[in-house]
C-alpha cells in the first residue's frame, strides 16, 4: 500500500507553515510520517529529532512531529545529508534513516542541470516550465511512493542528547556579551564567545 497515509488537510497545513509546496517538503512530510510510525509525536521533549540537512523538509518535521528548535528537541547537524534521526527518550528507541538517492531519479538529474543553468545564465520560458513541471512530478512521486522506497534505515550514530537546561552564562572577555557557558572557548587564558574566538584565531593563525 504505497502512498502517504497522512490526512490531506494536515499536508495542506504543513504547506502553509512552510510557505510553498516543493519536493523537499514532500521528503520532509514522508520522513515525518515514518517518524510518527516509529517513535510517535513529540508532545513535550520526549522525542528528539536530529536533522543532517537544513533543507525545506525540516519544516515538515517541526510541524508534524513537533520537534522544534525552540523546544530544544530539534538538533541540526550541518552535514549536508538527507538523513534524519529520531530518538524517544522514555525508552531509548532510536531510528536513523537516509533518503534513497534513487527516489530523485531522472527528475533529480533534470533539476540538477536546470539549477546550474539557472545560476549561470537564467532559464528560458520553456526551461522554466520544465523546472516547475519536474518539481511537481517529483513531489507527487515522493507522496505516492511507499516509505521503504523513499528511505533506508541506517545505524544510529549518536547517544540520546541531554535535555535542554538553563545553563550559567559567562561574559565573553572580548565583546562582553553573556554567553552560555558550554558555548564559550578558552583561548590564551581568556574566556571568549565563538565568534570572538574565531576572529582571534584568524588574526593569530
Ligand atoms: Zn520548499
Ligand atoms: Zn565575544
Amino acid at each position: 500500500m504505497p502512498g502517504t497515509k497522512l490526512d490531506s488537510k494536515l499536508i495542506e497545513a504543513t504547506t502553509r507553515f512552510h510557505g510553498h509546496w516543493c519536493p523537499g517538503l514532500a521528503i520532509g512530510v514522508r520522513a515525518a510520517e515514518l517518524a510518527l510510525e516509529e517513535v510517535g509525536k513529540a508532545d513535550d521533549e520526549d522525542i528528539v529529532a536530529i536533522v543532517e540537512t537544513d533543507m525545506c523538509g525540516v519544516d515538515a518535521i517541526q510541524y508534524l512531529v513537533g520537534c522544534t528548535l525552540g523546544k530544544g528537541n530539534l538538533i541540526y547537524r550541518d552535514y549536508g545529508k538527507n538523513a534524519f534521526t529520531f530518538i524517544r527518550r522514555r525508552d531509548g528507541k532510536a531510528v536513523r534513516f537516509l533518503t534513497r538517492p534513487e527516489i530523485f531519479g531522472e527528475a533529480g538529474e533534470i533539476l540538477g542541470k536546470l539549477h546550474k543553468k539557472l545560476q549561470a545564465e537564467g532559464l528560458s520560458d520553456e526551461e522554466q516550465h520544465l523546472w516547475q513541471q519536474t518539481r511537481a512530478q517529483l513531489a507527487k512521486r515522493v507522496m505516492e511512493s511507499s516509505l521503504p522506497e523513499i528511505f533506508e534505515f541506517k545505524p544510529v550514530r549518536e547517544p540520546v542528547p541531554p535535555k535542554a537546561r538553563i545553563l550559567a552564562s559567562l561574559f565573553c572577555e572580548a565583546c562582553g556579551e553573556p554567553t552560555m557557558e558550554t558555548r564559550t572557548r578558552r583561548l590564551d587564558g581568556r574566556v571568549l564567545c565563538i565568534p570572538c574566538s574565531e576572529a582571534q584565531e584568524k588574526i593569530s593563525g
Side-chain angles (χ1 to χ4, degrees):
M1 11 102 223
T4 185
K5 292 194 199 77
L6 290 176
D7 183 72
S8 63
K9 290 247 158 56
L10 200 53
I11 295 169
E12 279 166 30
T14 310
T15 309
R16 278 198 299 277
F17 175 74
H18 176 57
H20 58 252
W21 178 242
C22 64
L25 191 67
I27 295 278
V29 165
R30 302 310 304 278
E33 197 175 339
L34 187 50
L36 292 170
E37 278 183 13
E38 292 290 329
V39 296
K41 191 170 158 75
D43 292 322
D44 48 24
E45 291 175 46
D46 189 37
I47 310 290
V48 180
I50 301 169
V51 297
E52 299 174 35
T53 168
D54 61 354
M55 54 86 119
C56 296
V58 177
D59 279 353
I61 286 160
Q62 297 197 75
Y63 192 78
L64 294 170
V65 189
C67 295
T68 68
L69 196 57
K71 273 193 284 187
N73 59 349
L74 176 73
I75 298 169
Y76 167 49
R77 304 262 183 252
D78 189 7
Y79 297 160
K81 293 189 191 189
N82 246 305
F84 309 91
T85 300
F86 292 90
I87 301 165
R88 186 165 62 202
R89 290 185 195 279
R90 113 175 77 99
D91 60 1
K93 182 175 182 191
V95 289
R96 177 173 180 265
F97 49 86
L98 197 65
T99 310
R100 294 182 189 275
E102 305 87 63
I103 194 72
F104 300 103
E106 206 180 307
E109 271 171 50
I110 295 170
L111 291 174
K113 273 184 202 151
L114 288 176
H115 188 73
K116 265 186 202 147
K117 173 111 198 297
L118 174 69
Q119 292 198 314
E121 48 187 306
L123 298 180
S124 68
D125 285 352
E126 211 172 296
E127 287 166 331
Q128 186 73 40
H129 182 70
L130 179 64
W131 168 263
Q132 278 164 2
Q133 202 181 26
T134 310
R135 278 168 64 87
Q137 279 167 358
L138 179 55
K140 188 167 181 279
R141 179 168 157 185
V142 169
M143 296 311 288
E144 290 175 354
S145 297
S146 70
L147 291 170
E149 282 173 320
I150 309 171
F151 303 109
E152 179 187 5
F153 282 102
K154 292 283 201 171
V156 177
R157 289 178 160 174
E158 297 197 37
V160 181
K163 279 202 176 189
R165 281 164 297 160
I166 307 295
L167 291 163
S169 284
L170 298 176
F171 290 93
C172 169
E173 289 177 37
C175 69
E177 295 181 3
T179 305
M180 201 196 293
E181 190 173 357
T182 52
R183 297 295 184 273
T184 58
R185 292 177 181 175
R186 249 163 233 282
L187 206 69
D188 302 327
R190 294 205 304 165
V191 173
L192 299 177
C193 71
I194 291 172
C196 288
S197 75
E198 283 174 353
Q200 200 65 42
E201 275 163 7
K202 255 178 219 155
I203 293 167
S204 57

